[in-house]
Amino acid sequence: MHVTAIIAAGGHGRRFGGARPKQLLSVGGRPVLARSVAAFLTHPSIDEVVVALPRELVDDPPPYLRGTSKPLRIVAGGVRRQDSVVNAFRAVATESDVIVIHDAARPFASADLIARTIAAAAESGAAVAALQARDTVKQGQRGREGDVWVVTATLPRESIFLAQTPQAFRRDVLRDALALGEDATDEAALAERTGHTVRLVDGEWSNIKITTPDDLPIAETLARGSEGGDAIARVGTGYDVHRLVEGRPLVLGGVTIPFERGLLGYSDADAVCHAVTDAVLGAAAAGDIGRHFPDTDPQWRGASSVDLLRRAAALVRERGYHVVNVDVVVIAERPRIGPYVEAMRATVGEALDVTPDCVSIKGKTNEGVGELGRGEAIAVHAVALLGN
């Protein structure tokens, strides 16, 4: 069974307010959208992911949406939620049997919840995660003056469910639902209107939707593991060395440095990015740069090492970790890297999806000792700290 996940992230969060869409804000040190996408990229039942982004972000998506280990496509969101889902549905693989739709603003859906929803949809045609109401439920309407609400009915709470996402559908069911073109707050409502049965799956109280600023403290608590175990910190180290040769540009930390020689290598031989890549992968026990980007594969010949670092960071995020900070030492007799350090920090930080103040890069000489001291090569040591 081929399963596609659609992440609805095309909105601008007008109820939330603020200058940035809420799905791009960070909770517990990671963007909300990164957490939501990672939940599906790492899930064994998901074969591909389609993300609907605000139109202005499509051409320059966040780094964690690039270089993923599973197919990930990006589409432009629409004016309404269902417009975004329709755009994403058009990008779904033709072989997809079940499509799962999830709100980007729900960053804490568990793997078990995703699995239950997929299984229910495969069996029944459509399924929605939902919580049974715990409190007495009142139906109300505006009073005569219009400034107060009055109770018109008390509803039996045992039959009231609060819908969440994920919501999952067999392909034909979702196609029928979206073809209505009607307004609805979720796709399950559209499926109901087309006459399809929608099965309820037990939701999770931790699967909150970040809708207003008041939700952020709760999200921070969940992100830091207060209700799901202690936070984990992992450390990795990296090392790289390349010979200096004539006829090659000198690239370090994604910055081309004016010099009469450059580093010899299969890619652009950016020793800073190579060492940081190994440190980040090592902290996640995810192998090394040679395993993921071997010099026997033609696609990596002359590759940008910043792009390789970006791909490694995305792979680590899929495993549930994010980069906290990195510390780098560049050992080079010449040239002096001091004038280029700030640009290198910014470039490496962008690839790792951290701010430059989380990237330390220092230059040292080898005091004339060995091949490094003779100016024949440049070596780099790196340490990376990951959090979950």
Side-chain angles (χ1 to χ4, degrees):
M1 182 173 66
H2 191 281
V3 182
T4 299
I6 291 175
I7 308 298
H12 290 79
R14 291 181 176 85
R15 284 183 293 173
F16 187 91
R20 302 180 69 203
K22 62 188 177 185
Q23 63 269 29
L24 301 183
L25 298 177
S26 291
V27 291
R30 292 180 68 195
V32 171
L33 178 58
R35 290 179 178 274
S36 300
V37 171
F40 290 85
L41 282 174
T42 58
H43 200 283
S45 297
I46 301 297
D47 296 289
E48 65 167 357
V49 176
V50 181
V51 181
L53 286 179
R55 188 170 299 276
E56 64 272 17
L57 296 179
V58 171
D59 292 333
D60 187 23
Y64 48 82
L65 299 183
R66 308 173 199 166
T68 55
S69 60
K70 291 181 181 178
L72 186 149
R73 286 185 283 280
I74 295 172
V75 301
V79 176
R80 305 172 301 172
R81 172 200 167 88
Q82 55 262 48
D83 297 327
S84 297
V85 174
V86 167
N87 291 348
F89 183 63
R90 291 176 181 145
V92 167
T94 56
E95 66 268 29
S96 190
D97 302 298
V98 172
I99 293 100
V100 187
I101 301 172
H102 188 65
D103 293 328
R106 292 187 186 272
F108 304 116
S110 72
D112 185 56
L113 177 60
I114 294 169
R116 293 200 309 269
T117 309
I118 292 171
E123 181 179 325
S124 303
V128 53
L131 293 171
Q132 190 168 25
R134 293 179 174 180
D135 301 316
T136 300
V137 181
K138 302 290 184 179
Q139 186 177 46
Q141 68 178 24
R142 291 284 187 182
R144 290 183 180 179
E145 302 301 322
D147 58 346
V148 295
W149 286 85
V150 297
V151 174
T152 59
T154 298
L155 307 179
R157 65 184 176 191
E158 62 271 13
S159 65
I160 301 296
F161 289 80
L162 310 178
Q164 300 182 328
T165 63
Q167 302 182 0
F169 309 85
R170 288 202 301 257
R171 188 187 191 98
D172 60 317
V173 174
L174 184 58
R175 183 185 60 240
D176 292 347
L178 297 177
L180 284 177
E182 298 178 0
D183 287 329
T185 56
D186 66 3
E187 288 64 46
L190 295 174
E192 296 162 33
R193 295 176 195 173
T194 60
H196 291 288
T197 298
V198 179
R199 185 166 158 184
L200 292 166
V201 174
D202 287 339
E204 296 171 341
W205 290 101
S206 59
N207 183 29
I208 67 166
K209 184 177 182 181
I210 300 173
T211 304
T212 72
D214 291 340
D215 298 320
L216 284 178
I218 301 172
E220 287 286 350
T221 298
L222 292 170
R224 297 188 187 285
S226 296
E227 296 188 17
D230 295 332
I232 297 173
R234 299 174 67 116
V235 176
T237 63
Y239 171 78
D240 196 37
V241 61
H242 288 273
R243 289 191 175 278
L244 284 162
V245 297
E246 294 183 356
R248 293 267 299 186
L250 177 58
V251 182
L252 290 173
V255 177
T256 300
I257 299 175
F259 195 56
E260 63 266 22
R261 291 175 295 162
L263 295 174
L264 179 64
Y266 193 72
S267 64
D268 62 7
D270 184 337
V272 168
C273 285
H274 291 183
V276 174
T277 297
D278 267 349
V280 168
L281 291 172
D288 60 18
I289 193 169
R291 168 182 160 188
H292 295 282
F293 316 110
D295 59 11
T296 55
D297 189 335
Q299 70 173 309
W300 308 124
R301 179 181 290 277
S304 164
S305 297
V306 172
D307 181 56
L308 304 186
L309 177 58
R310 185 178 292 114
R311 291 170 181 266
L315 187 151
V316 164
R317 280 189 291 269
E318 290 173 25
R319 294 185 172 221
Y321 302 106
H322 68 281
V323 176
V324 177
N325 73 291
V326 296
D327 188 22
V328 179
V329 179
V330 180
I331 305 172
E333 212 68 19
R334 292 179 56 239
R336 301 292 183 177
I337 69 167
Y340 311 99
V341 162
E342 293 309 311
M344 292 162 63
R345 292 175 65 204
T347 302
V348 171
E350 186 275 335
L352 296 173
D353 196 34
V354 299
T355 54
D357 64 334
C358 296
V359 179
S360 170
I361 299 178
K362 308 181 291 291
K364 301 289 183 181
T365 71
N366 217 45
E367 299 295 337
V369 178
E371 62 180 3
L372 297 178
R374 292 191 298 270
E376 298 173 5
I378 291 177
V380 179
H381 295 265
V383 177
L385 175 66
L386 305 185
N388 66 343

Short mmCIF file of all heavy atoms in Angstrom, two decimals, residues 89-116:
data_model
loop_
_atom_site.label_atom_id
_atom_site.label_comp_id
_atom_site.label_asym_id
_atom_site.label_seq_id
_atom_site.Cartn_x
_atom_site.Cartn_y
_atom_site.Cartn_z
N PHE A 89 -3.01 17.62 -3.60
CA PHE A 89 -3.56 16.37 -4.13
C PHE A 89 -3.14 16.16 -5.58
O PHE A 89 -2.89 15.04 -6.02
CB PHE A 89 -5.08 16.38 -4.01
CG PHE A 89 -5.75 15.11 -4.45
CD1 PHE A 89 -5.52 13.92 -3.79
CD2 PHE A 89 -6.62 15.11 -5.53
CE1 PHE A 89 -6.14 12.74 -4.19
CE2 PHE A 89 -7.24 13.95 -5.95
CZ PHE A 89 -7.00 12.75 -5.28
N ARG A 90 -3.05 17.24 -6.34
CA ARG A 90 -2.63 17.13 -7.75
C ARG A 90 -1.18 16.66 -7.87
O ARG A 90 -0.79 16.13 -8.91
CB ARG A 90 -2.78 18.49 -8.43
CG ARG A 90 -4.23 18.92 -8.63
CD ARG A 90 -4.28 20.31 -9.22
NE ARG A 90 -5.67 20.76 -9.39
CZ ARG A 90 -6.08 22.01 -9.23
NH1 ARG A 90 -5.20 22.95 -8.89
NH2 ARG A 90 -7.34 22.33 -9.41
N ALA A 91 -0.39 16.87 -6.81
CA ALA A 91 1.02 16.48 -6.84
C ALA A 91 1.27 15.10 -6.27
O ALA A 91 2.41 14.62 -6.27
CB ALA A 91 1.86 17.51 -6.08
N VAL A 92 0.22 14.44 -5.77
CA VAL A 92 0.36 13.11 -5.17
C VAL A 92 0.72 12.09 -6.24
O VAL A 92 0.23 12.15 -7.37
CB VAL A 92 -0.95 12.73 -4.46
CG1 VAL A 92 -0.97 11.25 -4.09
CG2 VAL A 92 -1.15 13.58 -3.21
N ALA A 93 1.58 11.14 -5.91
CA ALA A 93 1.98 10.10 -6.84
C ALA A 93 0.77 9.31 -7.33
O ALA A 93 -0.18 9.06 -6.58
CB ALA A 93 2.98 9.15 -6.18
N THR A 94 0.79 8.93 -8.60
CA THR A 94 -0.35 8.22 -9.19
C THR A 94 -0.61 6.88 -8.53
O THR A 94 -1.73 6.39 -8.54
CB THR A 94 -0.12 8.01 -10.70
OG1 THR A 94 1.13 7.32 -10.89
CG2 THR A 94 -0.05 9.35 -11.43
N GLU A 95 0.44 6.28 -7.95
CA GLU A 95 0.27 4.97 -7.33
C GLU A 95 -0.21 5.05 -5.88
O GLU A 95 -0.38 4.01 -5.22
CB GLU A 95 1.57 4.17 -7.39
CG GLU A 95 2.72 4.74 -6.58
CD GLU A 95 3.61 5.68 -7.36
OE1 GLU A 95 3.10 6.32 -8.31
OE2 GLU A 95 4.81 5.78 -7.03
N SER A 96 -0.44 6.24 -5.38
CA SER A 96 -0.83 6.37 -3.97
C SER A 96 -2.23 5.81 -3.74
O SER A 96 -3.17 6.14 -4.46
CB SER A 96 -0.77 7.84 -3.56
OG SER A 96 -0.92 7.96 -2.17
N ASP A 97 -2.36 4.98 -2.71
CA ASP A 97 -3.64 4.36 -2.37
C ASP A 97 -4.36 5.13 -1.27
O ASP A 97 -5.59 5.26 -1.29
CB ASP A 97 -3.41 2.92 -1.88
CG ASP A 97 -2.70 2.07 -2.91
OD1 ASP A 97 -3.27 1.89 -4.00
OD2 ASP A 97 -1.58 1.61 -2.63
N VAL A 98 -3.60 5.59 -0.28
CA VAL A 98 -4.17 6.32 0.86
C VAL A 98 -3.45 7.64 1.00
O VAL A 98 -2.22 7.70 0.87
CB VAL A 98 -4.05 5.50 2.16
CG1 VAL A 98 -4.46 6.33 3.37
CG2 VAL A 98 -4.90 4.24 2.08
N ILE A 99 -4.22 8.70 1.24
CA ILE A 99 -3.63 10.03 1.44
C ILE A 99 -3.97 10.49 2.85
O ILE A 99 -5.13 10.46 3.26
CB ILE A 99 -4.15 11.05 0.41
CG1 ILE A 99 -3.65 10.68 -0.99
CG2 ILE A 99 -3.65 12.45 0.75
CD1 ILE A 99 -4.65 9.98 -1.84
N VAL A 100 -2.94 10.88 3.59
CA VAL A 100 -3.10 11.39 4.95
C VAL A 100 -2.92 12.90 4.92
O VAL A 100 -1.95 13.39 4.34
CB VAL A 100 -2.06 10.78 5.90
CG1 VAL A 100 -2.34 11.19 7.34
CG2 VAL A 100 -2.04 9.28 5.77
N ILE A 101 -3.84 13.63 5.53
CA ILE A 101 -3.76 15.09 5.57
C ILE A 101 -3.54 15.52 7.01
O ILE A 101 -4.24 15.07 7.92
CB ILE A 101 -5.04 15.74 5.00
CG1 ILE A 101 -5.24 15.28 3.56
CG2 ILE A 101 -4.95 17.27 5.07
CD1 ILE A 101 -6.57 15.69 2.98
N HIS A 102 -2.56 16.41 7.20
CA HIS A 102 -2.23 16.84 8.55
C HIS A 102 -1.96 18.33 8.58
O HIS A 102 -1.34 18.89 7.67
CB HIS A 102 -0.99 16.08 9.05
CG HIS A 102 -0.68 16.31 10.50
ND1 HIS A 102 -1.53 15.90 11.51
CD2 HIS A 102 0.37 16.91 11.11
CE1 HIS A 102 -1.00 16.23 12.68
NE2 HIS A 102 0.15 16.86 12.46
N ASP A 103 -2.43 18.98 9.64
CA ASP A 103 -2.19 20.41 9.83
C ASP A 103 -0.75 20.63 10.27
O ASP A 103 -0.28 20.02 11.24
CB ASP A 103 -3.12 20.98 10.92
CG ASP A 103 -4.57 20.97 10.50
OD1 ASP A 103 -4.85 21.13 9.30
OD2 ASP A 103 -5.44 20.80 11.39
N ALA A 104 -0.07 21.54 9.59
CA ALA A 104 1.30 21.86 9.99
C ALA A 104 1.36 22.39 11.41
O ALA A 104 2.38 22.26 12.09
CB ALA A 104 1.89 22.89 9.03
N ALA A 105 0.27 23.00 11.88
CA ALA A 105 0.25 23.59 13.22
C ALA A 105 0.02 22.57 14.32
O ALA A 105 -0.13 22.94 15.49
CB ALA A 105 -0.83 24.67 13.29
N ARG A 106 0.00 21.27 13.97
CA ARG A 106 -0.07 20.20 14.98
C ARG A 106 1.26 19.45 14.96
O ARG A 106 1.40 18.45 14.24
CB ARG A 106 -1.24 19.25 14.69
CG ARG A 106 -2.61 19.86 14.87
CD ARG A 106 -3.70 18.80 14.73
NE ARG A 106 -5.03 19.36 14.76
CZ ARG A 106 -5.75 19.58 15.85
NH1 ARG A 106 -5.24 19.26 17.02
NH2 ARG A 106 -6.96 20.09 15.78
N PRO A 107 2.25 19.90 15.72
CA PRO A 107 3.59 19.31 15.61
C PRO A 107 3.85 18.08 16.46
O PRO A 107 4.96 17.57 16.45
CB PRO A 107 4.48 20.46 16.08
CG PRO A 107 3.64 21.21 17.07
CD PRO A 107 2.23 21.11 16.57
N PHE A 108 2.83 17.57 17.18
CA PHE A 108 3.10 16.50 18.14
C PHE A 108 2.31 15.22 17.88
O PHE A 108 2.10 14.42 18.79
CB PHE A 108 2.83 16.99 19.57
CG PHE A 108 3.61 18.21 19.94
CD1 PHE A 108 2.97 19.40 20.23
CD2 PHE A 108 5.00 18.19 19.97
CE1 PHE A 108 3.68 20.54 20.56
CE2 PHE A 108 5.73 19.32 20.29
CZ PHE A 108 5.08 20.50 20.59
N ALA A 109 1.85 15.01 16.66
CA ALA A 109 1.14 13.76 16.35
C ALA A 109 2.11 12.59 16.49
O ALA A 109 3.22 12.61 15.95
CB ALA A 109 0.58 13.82 14.94
N SER A 110 1.70 11.56 17.19
CA SER A 110 2.59 10.42 17.44
C SER A 110 2.56 9.46 16.26
O SER A 110 1.64 9.44 15.44
CB SER A 110 2.17 9.68 18.70
OG SER A 110 0.97 8.96 18.48
N ALA A 111 3.59 8.62 16.18
CA ALA A 111 3.65 7.61 15.13
C ALA A 111 2.50 6.64 15.24
O ALA A 111 1.95 6.18 14.23
CB ALA A 111 4.99 6.87 15.21
N ASP A 112 2.09 6.33 16.46
CA ASP A 112 0.98 5.40 16.66
C ASP A 112 -0.33 6.00 16.16
O ASP A 112 -1.14 5.31 15.53
CB ASP A 112 0.87 5.04 18.14
CG ASP A 112 -0.20 3.99 18.39
OD1 ASP A 112 -0.12 2.90 17.79
OD2 ASP A 112 -1.12 4.25 19.20
N LEU A 113 -0.55 7.28 16.40
CA LEU A 113 -1.76 7.94 15.92
C LEU A 113 -1.80 7.94 14.40
O LEU A 113 -2.85 7.67 13.78
CB LEU A 113 -1.83 9.37 16.45
CG LEU A 113 -3.02 10.22 15.97
CD1 LEU A 113 -4.33 9.58 16.38
CD2 LEU A 113 -2.91 11.64 16.51
N ILE A 114 -0.68 8.23 13.77
CA ILE A 114 -0.61 8.22 12.31
C ILE A 114 -0.93 6.82 11.78
O ILE A 114 -1.72 6.66 10.83
CB ILE A 114 0.78 8.68 11.84
CG1 ILE A 114 1.00 10.15 12.22
CG2 ILE A 114 0.94 8.49 10.33
CD1 ILE A 114 2.43 10.62 12.03
N ALA A 115 -0.35 5.80 12.39
CA ALA A 115 -0.57 4.42 11.95
C ALA A 115 -2.03 4.01 12.10
O ALA A 115 -2.61 3.38 11.20
CB ALA A 115 0.34 3.48 12.73
N ARG A 116 -2.65 4.37 13.23
CA ARG A 116 -4.06 4.00 13.45
C ARG A 116 -4.97 4.66 12.43
O ARG A 116 -5.93 4.05 11.94
CB ARG A 116 -4.49 4.42 14.86
CG ARG A 116 -3.82 3.67 15.99
CD ARG A 116 -4.62 3.77 17.29
NE ARG A 116 -4.98 5.13 17.64
CZ ARG A 116 -4.23 5.93 18.40
NH1 ARG A 116 -3.05 5.51 18.84
NH2 ARG A 116 -4.64 7.14 18.72
#
